Amino acid sequence: MKTKWIVALLYLVSLTSSAGAKDLIGQRYQDFQKDLPEFKQLSGSCLSGCKYSVSNVKDLSNQESVIVLSKNTQGSKRWEIVDVLENPKGQATVSNCTENYSSFKQMQATTPGLMPSNDNSVALIRSTSEKAQDNKLWVKATQVFTVDIESHTFTEISNDDVYCYVGIG
């Protein structure tokens, strides 16, 4: 009988912890750290001309990392959380990616200093799949999501030829 109670309690705790991040949807904030102190913002960047913000956030109650998509509300400094993705351990969130790396490299050969201009997607990367070229570090995306501006959600797209620029190698 004791075992059933322990299993039931563990199940309830796991439901509560995984639901915590999804409970963020609909929350409004101006300063993530101040307005939502149970979460720590690790990094963030603007998407779609700063109509959206994507943030890598750690849930301080269970130390899980999530990716939060927020929408700017009516041009103010307030944001509304519209979608949340789990961020698998060992992966980083980046938004400086090109959806067609092969074509991009050809264009970059004729226009030195050219950088990806797609600001509507976010990718998950692992640092083990590095592609160093011209002293710039490009990493193959393991998963790629684009912002669906009609539904205000992340939509997964193909990662076939998606590489992300992560700095100087």
Side-chain angles (χ1 to χ4, degrees):
M1 188 69 163
K2 247 185 195 181
T3 308
K4 286 183 181 180
W5 278 103
I6 292 171
V7 170
L9 184 60
L10 288 174
Y11 177 73
L12 248 166
V13 168
S14 72
L15 278 179
T16 306
S17 63
S18 65
K22 290 289 185 188
D23 288 343
L24 282 172
I25 295 174
Q27 296 288 324
R28 292 178 185 254
Y29 65 92
Q30 185 167 347
D31 179 337
F32 205 100
Q33 303 284 140
K34 185 177 156 201
D35 297 340
L36 301 164
E38 60 274 18
F39 295 89
K40 180 179 181 184
Q41 186 172 3
L42 304 174
S43 64
S45 59
C46 285
L47 298 176
S48 297
C50 274
K51 294 176 187 165
Y52 292 89
S53 168
V54 64
S55 302
N56 189 0
V57 173
K58 182 182 275 190
D59 184 336
L60 296 176
S61 67
N62 62 15
Q63 300 301 308
E64 294 295 319
S65 182
V66 293
I67 303 164
V68 173
L69 177 65
S70 303
K71 182 181 137 200
N72 192 306
T73 55
Q74 300 157 349
S76 71
K77 292 183 180 180
R78 296 207 49 87
W79 296 86
E80 179 182 358
I81 298 172
V82 292
D83 201 3
V84 177
L85 292 173
E86 288 183 32
N87 190 3
K89 289 191 187 308
Q91 297 204 33
T93 310
V94 292
S95 58
N96 201 9
C97 305
T98 179
E99 288 185 31
N100 189 331
Y101 184 74
S102 304
S103 295
F104 174 76
K105 287 311 282 181
Q106 289 174 352
M107 286 179 10
Q108 197 177 39
T110 60
T111 312
L114 180 71
M115 290 302 295
S117 61
N118 182 356
D119 72 342
N120 194 37
S121 61
V122 62
L124 299 179
I125 60 169
R126 282 193 192 98
S127 59
T128 56
S129 58
E130 297 173 358
K131 188 176 206 174
Q133 202 165 4
D134 303 325
N135 291 330
K136 291 182 172 81
L137 190 60
W138 290 86
V139 179
K140 173 95 171 102
T142 56
Q143 282 185 284
V144 182
F145 300 89
T146 188
V147 177
D148 182 333
I149 54 177
E150 288 184 23
S151 66
H152 309 295
T153 59
F154 288 116
T155 302
E156 189 167 8
I157 60 173
S158 171
N159 69 334
D160 285 345
D161 195 25
V162 179
Y163 281 82
C164 304
Y165 180 78
V166 293
I168 303 298

